[in-house]
Amino acid sequence: MRSDVVSQNEEWQQKIQQLADVSINEFHMRDIANIEHPCAFDTLEEYDLLIFRKLVTPDDEIKNGESHESVFGLATTPISFIFTPKVLISVREQGNKSIENYIQRLENILCKTLEEQNKTRKLPNSPVDLCLRLLNSMVDGYLDIRSPLTRRVEHWQQQLLQGNRRFKQWHQLFHENMAFQQVENLCEEQIETLQEFRDEIVENYHHVIGEKTHSSQDLLLVRLNDLMSHVERIQKHTLRLRSAIQSAIDLHFSAIANQTNENMRILAIITAVFAPLTLLTGIYGMNFEFIPRLKSPVGFWIMLGVMLLSTILLLYYFYRQHLVGRGEKSVIDLLAQQHRQDRMNLFWFLEYEPIKQTLKEVEKITRLK
C-alpha cells in the first residue's frame, strides 16, 4: 500500500530487498511516493518502473484522492508497478477495487486443483503479463463512466437550449468542461506511457521477460495494443462529448443573437412608425402666430387622420417587405419578391425570333428521329 511506502519507507525497501532481491532507486522511491506524479515509464538494468494514473470510479473506496477532486469532479490516483523477470511489485491506494477484484480472482483460481489452474488463459505466465492484465482490468472500468458522462452532457444541452429562462450556470459548466479536459489529458498521458512500454518490449524483450521465461512476444503485444485501443476509445468518446457541449454553447449564443436581432427589429419598426408622428406633432407644436389649420375646428381631427393614415401605410409597407408578421418562408418569399421587382430574365435571348425558329426546327427533327 502507498501508506506503507510513505510512513515506513526504509523498512519497506528492506522488505522488498529480502523478498524480491530488488534495490529500488532513490529517485524512483520519490516518484512512487508522489501522489501527483503523472504517468511515466522508466527502465533500469535491475527492474522496470511503470506509473499509471487511474480514474477513481464510483466502485472504488479510495479515501486519499487528489486535492482537485472537488473542483473538477473527477479524481485520479497513481499506481506504480515495479517488475523484473520474476517479480511484480505494485504500489497503490487502499480501496482500489479493480486490482482487489483481480487479486481475488487469482486467489480463487489458486484454490482449485492443478488441472483447473493450468487451463489456457487462466493464469498469467510472467510478471509483465500480470501487469498488463491488471492494467486491462483498470481501463475496462473506464468504460462504465461513459454513460454518466453522456447523461451529464445531455443535461447541459437541455439547460443551454431551453427557451423559457436565462442560463446562469456558467461556473458549473466550466468545471464540467475542465473535467472532460482532464480525462482527455489523462488518456493522452496513458497512451504515451504505454507506447514507451511497448517499445521496451519490442526492443529489449528478453530484458523485460527474462531468458528462461517462455512467453510469446506477440501475445504481450496484442494485450498491450488492446489496452491502448481501449484508452483511445475513451479519449475519442470524451472528445465527442466536449464537442457536443461546445456545439450546444454555440447554439445557445446563436439563439441569443437571433433573439437580440428580433428585439432590435421590433424596436426599429416602432421607431419608424412613430417618427412621422413625432415630426407632425413637432411641427404643430412650434410657437408661430400663423400655422395652417391651427385654429380650425376640424384641424385636430385632420391631424389625427393624417397620423393614422401614415401609421397604416408604414405598417402595410413593412408587411409587404416581410418585416412584420413574416413566417417560416419569409426568406424564400423575400427572394421571390426581389426577383419579381427586378424582372430579370436570364434567358431573354431565347425570345429573339431567329433563335425561336431554330429551336422549333430542332424540336421537329428530334421528334422525327
Side-chain angles (χ1 to χ4, degrees):
M1 298 299 174
R2 185 180 303 279
S3 58
D4 299 334
V5 178
V6 175
S7 60
Q8 304 174 0
N9 193 344
E10 295 182 359
E11 297 179 1
W12 185 82
Q13 291 188 57
Q14 293 176 1
K15 189 174 182 180
I16 294 299
Q17 179 70 31
Q18 295 175 359
L19 296 177
D21 194 18
V22 176
S23 178
I24 302 177
N25 186 277
E26 179 183 357
F27 295 100
H28 285 170
M29 287 300 303
R30 294 178 183 177
D31 295 339
I32 293 172
N34 184 11
I35 197 172
E36 300 288 343
H37 199 282
C39 298
F41 177 77
D42 195 10
T43 179
L44 294 178
E45 185 67 25
E46 190 176 0
Y47 63 89
D48 294 330
L49 173 64
L50 174 65
I51 300 178
F52 194 85
R53 296 200 69 87
K54 173 189 177 298
L55 274 176
V56 179
T57 59
D59 296 333
D60 294 328
E61 298 177 357
I62 299 176
K63 298 180 180 180
N64 189 14
E66 287 189 346
S67 59
H68 59 258
E69 176 182 1
S70 59
V71 179
F72 294 156
L74 293 175
T76 59
T77 179
I79 301 175
S80 303
F81 295 97
I82 304 170
F83 51 88
T84 66
K86 297 181 180 180
V87 179
L88 174 64
I89 304 170
S90 64
V91 180
R92 55 185 171 83
E93 300 287 349
Q94 186 176 3
N96 194 326
K97 289 299 181 181
S98 59
I99 294 183
E100 292 179 358
N101 292 337
Y102 191 83
I103 293 175
Q104 185 65 34
R105 287 171 53 191
L106 291 180
E107 292 178 353
N108 294 335
I109 294 174
L110 293 175
C111 293
K112 298 179 180 179
T113 60
L114 292 177
E115 295 180 356
E116 294 179 347
Q117 291 181 14
N118 294 329
K119 287 184 178 180
T120 307
R121 301 175 64 182
K122 283 288 186 179
L123 293 175
N125 51 17
S126 65
V128 177
D129 190 11
L130 177 59
C131 177
L132 291 178
R133 295 193 183 196
L134 291 174
L135 291 175
N136 193 23
S137 64
M138 288 188 296
V139 173
D140 286 343
Y142 293 1
L143 302 177
D144 298 334
I145 68 173
R146 291 187 301 177
S147 297
L149 292 179
T150 304
R151 287 195 296 268
R152 292 300 300 169
V153 170
E154 292 176 354
H155 167 74
W156 289 117
Q157 286 177 338
Q158 294 176 359
Q159 293 294 322
L160 285 168
L161 299 180
Q162 64 182 352
N164 53 355
R165 62 181 182 272
R166 186 178 178 183
F167 182 77
K168 299 180 180 179
Q169 302 174 347
W170 292 108
H171 189 66
Q172 298 179 8
L173 181 59
F174 172 75
H175 287 170
E176 293 282 346
N177 193 25
M178 291 301 298
F180 290 127
Q181 180 67 41
Q182 181 189 6
V183 175
E184 188 176 350
N185 294 337
L186 176 64
C187 292
E188 186 175 356
E189 289 182 1
Q190 291 176 349
I191 292 173
E192 292 178 357
T193 303
L194 293 176
Q195 184 62 43
E196 294 180 4
F197 188 20
R198 187 182 187 280
D199 295 339
E200 179 66 18
I201 293 177
V202 173
E203 296 174 1
N204 301 315
Y205 176 70
H206 293 289
H207 168 72
V208 177
I209 301 299
E211 297 290 343
K212 299 181 180 180
T213 304
H214 300 284
S215 179
S216 175
Q217 181 182 13
D218 295 335
L219 180 60
L220 294 179
L221 293 179
V222 167
R223 290 187 182 277
L224 193 53
N225 292 335
D226 181 67
L227 184 62
M228 294 174 63
S229 66
H230 284 187
V231 178
E232 289 177 354
R233 285 171 56 189
I234 299 297
Q235 185 182 24
K236 292 179 180 179
H237 183 72
T238 307
L239 184 60
R240 287 194 297 268
L241 294 180
R242 288 190 62 200
S243 300
I245 290 181
Q246 187 61 42
S247 300
I249 293 175
D250 294 339
L251 287 175
H252 174 75
F253 284 113
S254 298
I256 291 178
N258 183 56
Q259 184 63 37
T260 303
N261 293 334
E262 289 293 321
N263 296 336
M264 294 301 297
R265 181 179 65 86
I266 295 173
L267 293 176
I269 292 173
I270 294 174
T271 304
V273 169
F274 279 91
L277 306 182
T278 305
L279 177 63
L280 292 175
T281 55
I283 291 175
Y284 277 86
M286 292 186 295
N287 296 324
F288 288 103
E289 293 183 0
F290 176 75
I291 296 178
R293 299 289 181 178
L294 181 62
K295 297 182 179 181
S296 174
V298 294
F300 174 75
W301 302 108
I302 293 175
M303 181 59 63
L304 287 182
V306 172
M307 290 181 177
L308 181 61
L309 180 62
S310 63
T311 303
I312 293 174
L313 290 177
L314 284 174
L315 291 177
Y316 178 74
Y317 173 76
F318 291 144
Y319 178 78
R320 294 291 296 175
Q321 295 295 326
H322 295 271
L323 297 176
V324 177
R326 57 183 180 179
E328 297 179 355
K329 299 182 180 180
S330 59
V331 177
I332 299 177
D333 295 339
L334 188 60
L335 293 175
Q337 180 185 6
Q338 184 69 25
H339 177 70
R340 289 194 300 269
Q341 291 177 355
D342 295 341
R343 297 183 181 277
M344 294 179 61
N345 187 6
L346 299 178
F347 301 98
W348 58 270
F349 56 88
L350 296 179
E351 301 296 331
Y352 190 55
E353 191 64 27
I355 296 179
K356 290 175 66 176
Q357 294 294 334
T358 304
L359 291 176
K360 289 181 180 180
E361 293 178 359
V362 171
E363 185 178 359
K364 290 180 181 180
I365 295 173
T366 305
R367 289 180 179 178
L368 291 175
K369 289 183 178 181

